[in-house]
Amino acid sequence: MFDPASLKYDAHGLVPVVAQDHASHEVLMVAWMNAEAVARTVATGKVTYWSRSRQAFWVKGESSGHVQKLVELRVDCDRDCLLVLVDQTGPACHTNRRSCFYTAVRDGAEVVIMEPSE
């Protein structure tokens, strides 16, 4: 059985998490989890992060409705990073964009490649 304590957390007890759309494979966002957030995510199927700024659990979409339903959790080879494959409802980014990765660097310049949803 998977044990969240088996992961390698940083000095603050956190592990980085990449959220990816399970169908399109688009990388949506990067956030953090502690062991309890990992356990809650696995137990509920609702992706739960640890907010470093608020020092609190953050169930993605709890207030916005832009939820992330867990499809699969993957552990990297060093056990110090997670990939969550999700079914994303609405935008994943707080800027109301599908992905947090909406700025590209092209020919040395930053270019916005994705506009916010209406």
Side-chain angles (χ1 to χ4, degrees):
M1 294 299 296
F2 171 70
D3 180 2
S6 71
L7 299 174
K8 295 178 184 173
Y9 298 92
D10 70 9
H12 303 288
L14 301 173
V15 63
V17 183
V18 177
Q20 182 180 37
D21 184 279
H22 77 99
S24 70
H25 306 291
E26 179 180 21
V27 175
L28 301 173
M29 57 181 280
V30 175
W32 298 90
M33 288 183 183
N34 60 18
E36 180 64 24
V38 175
R40 289 182 185 195
T41 297
V42 171
T44 66
K46 297 177 184 176
V47 181
T48 304
Y49 298 105
W50 178 256
S51 172
R52 296 177 299 169
S53 60
R54 293 184 305 245
Q55 292 291 294
F57 292 104
W58 159 39
V59 178
K60 181 67 176 163
E62 195 169 51
S63 58
S64 68
H66 302 156
V67 298
Q68 289 180 347
K69 180 181 174 191
L70 181 66
V71 174
E72 186 171 84
L73 184 136
R74 296 185 183 177
V75 180
D76 85 329
C77 58
D78 293 323
R79 302 190 72 78
D80 63 358
C81 187
L82 299 174
L83 173 66
V84 287
L85 301 177
V86 300
D87 180 11
Q88 175 71 47
T89 300
C93 184
H94 74 280
T95 65
N96 213 31
R97 290 173 171 89
R98 173 81 179 152
S99 170
C100 293
F101 296 94
Y102 60 85
T103 304
V105 177
R106 296 179 177 165
D107 297 322
E110 290 189 25
V111 179
V112 174
I113 59 172
M114 183 184 311
E115 295 301 324
S117 300
E118 293 298 319

